Amino acid sequence: MLVVILNFFVGVSNRLLINFFLGCVGVIFGLAVFLTGVEISISKIGTMMGEFLGRFKSIISVIIFGIFIGFVISVAEPDLLILANEITSTVGLAPQVIVMIISLGVGILISVGLFRIFKEIRISNLMLIIYSVIFILMIFAEDIGHAIAFDASGATTGAMTTPFIISLGLGVASLKGDLSEDDSFGLVGIASTGPVLAGLLMSMSINQSGVEVIEKAHESILLTGVINATFAIVPITIVFFLMNLLVFKIDKETLKEISIGLFYTYLGLIIFLTSVEGGFMELARAMGEGLRDSKFLPLIGFVLGLLVVLAEPAVAVLAEQVEDVTGGSIPRKLILRALSIGVAFAVMLAILRIKIEGFALWMVIVPGFLISLILARRVPQIFVGIAFDSGGVASGPMTATFILAFCQGVAGNIADGFGVISFVAMMPVITIMILGSIFKGRS
């Protein structure tokens, strides 16, 4: 509806509008099939692997396996595949190489998060250490490196990884024998710091002055979707079947159900990626270009952010998980409202950063996360976990596609459009922390 209203002021071609509406149908259908597959396959695989991890006597074994499985599941994240295709010309690396570098960061930090559960480390203390390292690395990285790193952070915690990581953490914590609300959340948030570290190191190791920022060459959208989906699903499928042969040994009926779920996940991912590239992103860039000089542009960004987060599938997963674990004391609707407000301000800030010369990403990111870390010392630990998890899940498929492309259109080029996902990943952290402060004051 919002796109139709904005089109009265922009007037994009009929071809783009038709492609967009076809893309909407494809995205809805693709996500429905994809999430159905995730529910009956990926979430179950995550729980089984979490319980398997919980049986390890050695922490070293948990860390090594956590790195491996975190890498495998992150490679399958559709948001990361989309972002890698966008930044490939900026960093001068193939999309698959970018995905592997970022996924390694996810795997390493998942192992750190699992170590936290075993050693009962306060999440606020761990986040303080991690972000101290991030802020030091930011001093040596360029602005484009900051944008790519924090955008990658948001893109790795989407519809694929969020249910898996939550299930993995719950599986480990439950077998540990002292599952609590504090241990139920935070693993997604910790995992999302891995791509920041990996992205910053990647950008620092590349001579970006010699990399020309160019538009991607045209190629078959369907073929690209099939290649990316295959690259995403095959690793986790191979790992699961090998582990089932050696460890799980589940009955044939359950194995058949999970196999069908993996097929649904693969098919849904192809439809989703093809629909996004063919329908969403082209129109979003055209809209951004058409509204570039509008004085209402920040307000339009605010409204886009307000609405887009409600369409994120991973947001619904987290909100329901929060309501279940807290026995309804933190209602689902309250989490959704807080996230919606946070993302609305995030998109507005991203547009202001593009329009205001000299407004660097670090000017918002560093103070924002510093505020979050200060608040993390003052609110109940469950809100710290929920807050950092929400930052990851809010920046899902819709943000990585429509909002990112819209900001690239406003900026006029691909490179200057980066940064919006990082804002979307940061603002919900602050809003949930504030919500936690209100809850603490009332109690």
Side-chain angles (χ1 to χ4, degrees):
M1 181 63 71
L2 183 61
V3 169
V4 174
I5 294 172
L6 291 177
N7 187 52
F8 284 113
F9 301 96
V10 179
V12 297
S13 68
N14 289 334
R15 180 187 66 83
L16 284 181
L17 272 180
I18 292 171
N19 285 347
F20 173 75
F21 288 122
L22 290 175
C24 285
V25 174
V27 165
I28 292 169
F29 180 69
L31 268 181
V33 175
F34 175 80
L35 290 174
T36 300
V38 167
E39 181 67 26
I40 61 180
S41 62
I42 301 300
S43 293
K44 290 181 180 178
I45 293 171
T47 301
M48 284 188 284
M49 289 186 177
E51 292 174 352
F52 173 69
L53 273 174
R55 298 192 196 106
F56 284 177
K57 305 259 188 223
S58 167
I59 293 292
I60 299 297
S61 300
V62 173
I63 290 173
I64 293 173
F65 189 78
I67 293 172
F68 170 71
I69 204 62
F71 172 85
V72 170
I73 194 64
S74 183
V75 164
E77 179 54 56
D79 301 354
L80 182 57
L81 295 171
I82 293 167
L83 181 68
N85 282 327
E86 292 297 300
I87 67 177
T88 181
S89 58
T90 304
V91 300
L93 295 174
Q96 286 79 11
V97 175
I98 297 170
V99 167
M100 286 191 286
I101 292 172
I102 299 302
S103 296
L104 182 60
V106 174
I108 292 172
L109 266 294
I110 280 181
S111 69
V112 171
L114 294 174
F115 181 81
R116 178 193 81 85
I117 295 174
F118 274 91
K119 293 298 183 180
E120 299 180 357
I121 300 170
R122 281 172 62 92
I123 188 170
S124 56
N125 293 339
L126 180 60
M127 284 300 193
L128 181 61
I129 294 170
I130 293 172
Y131 275 99
S132 296
V133 176
I134 288 172
F135 293 153
I136 291 170
L137 289 177
M138 287 179 71
I139 297 172
F140 303 100
E142 298 179 8
D143 286 347
I144 186 65
H146 299 165
I148 289 172
F150 281 95
D151 278 3
S153 169
T156 48
T157 45
M160 185 78 166
T161 51
T162 299
F164 183 88
I165 294 174
I166 289 175
S167 300
L168 187 69
L170 288 174
V172 172
S174 61
L175 273 188
K176 184 170 168 284
D178 60 347
L179 178 62
S180 68
E181 290 183 355
D182 291 355
D183 281 338
S184 300
F185 304 101
L187 188 57
V188 175
I190 294 168
S192 66
T193 61
V196 182
L197 293 166
L200 288 171
L201 292 171
M202 179 179 69
S203 67
M204 289 162 59
S205 63
I206 296 170
N207 180 18
Q208 290 177 358
S209 60
V211 177
E212 184 183 0
V213 180
I214 54 175
E215 298 293 332
K216 294 175 294 181
H218 177 73
E219 55 188 357
S220 169
I221 294 172
L222 177 60
L223 179 60
T224 303
V226 171
I227 291 171
N228 285 336
T230 303
F231 178 72
I233 298 301
V234 167
I236 188 66
T237 302
I238 292 173
V239 170
F240 165 69
F241 279 106
L242 280 175
M243 289 192 66
N244 182 60
L245 190 66
L246 300 173
V247 181
F248 302 145
K249 303 184 187 300
I250 58 177
D251 59 85
K252 290 183 179 180
E253 196 62 34
T254 305
L255 181 62
K256 179 182 176 182
E257 183 180 341
I258 290 177
S259 300
I260 293 171
L262 286 168
F263 174 73
Y264 283 168
T265 304
Y266 177 63
L267 179 63
L269 189 54
I270 292 174
I271 297 170
F272 172 77
L273 291 173
T274 304
S275 301
V276 160
E277 191 65 35
F280 267 45
M281 301 192 78
E282 193 176 2
L283 179 129
R285 287 193 190 96
M287 286 269 182
E289 290 170 5
L291 295 167
R292 186 183 300 164
D293 298 322
S294 172
K295 60 183 178 181
F296 297 111
L297 188 57
L299 179 61
I300 292 170
F302 185 90
V303 176
L304 277 174
L306 204 63
L307 297 175
V308 79
V309 71
L310 299 178
E312 294 288 6
V315 168
V317 172
L318 178 67
E320 288 174 8
Q321 183 76 13
V322 171
E323 190 173 61
D324 289 344
V325 171
T326 60
S329 62
I330 305 175
R332 175 178 175 274
K333 289 184 178 179
L334 190 62
I335 294 293
L336 291 176
R337 287 170 187 165
L339 291 181
S340 189
I341 293 170
V343 173
F345 277 106
V347 178
M348 185 175 69
L349 275 173
I351 288 173
L352 289 174
R353 185 185 76 87
I354 292 169
K355 300 300 289 183
I356 299 173
E357 191 174 347
F359 190 175
L361 183 72
W362 68 265
M363 295 178 182
V364 175
I365 290 294
V366 174
F369 277 110
L370 281 175
I371 291 170
S372 300
L373 292 170
I374 292 169
L375 289 172
R377 313 286 294 183
R378 302 173 182 272
V379 303
Q381 288 299 289
I382 184 172
F383 279 99
V384 179
I386 294 170
F388 282 104
D389 280 0
S390 67
V393 302
S395 47
M398 297 302 295
T399 305
T401 57
F402 193 89
I403 298 296
L404 175 61
F406 181 83
C407 288
Q408 288 173 345
V410 171
N413 62 72
I414 289 177
D416 289 342
F418 295 133
V420 61
I421 301 178
S422 58
F423 283 173
V424 171
M426 179 196 71
M427 287 302 294
V429 179
I430 297 175
T431 54
I432 297 295
M433 291 285 193
I434 293 171
L435 184 65
S437 299
I438 294 171
F439 258 73
K440 184 180 180 181
R442 286 182 178 178
S443 62

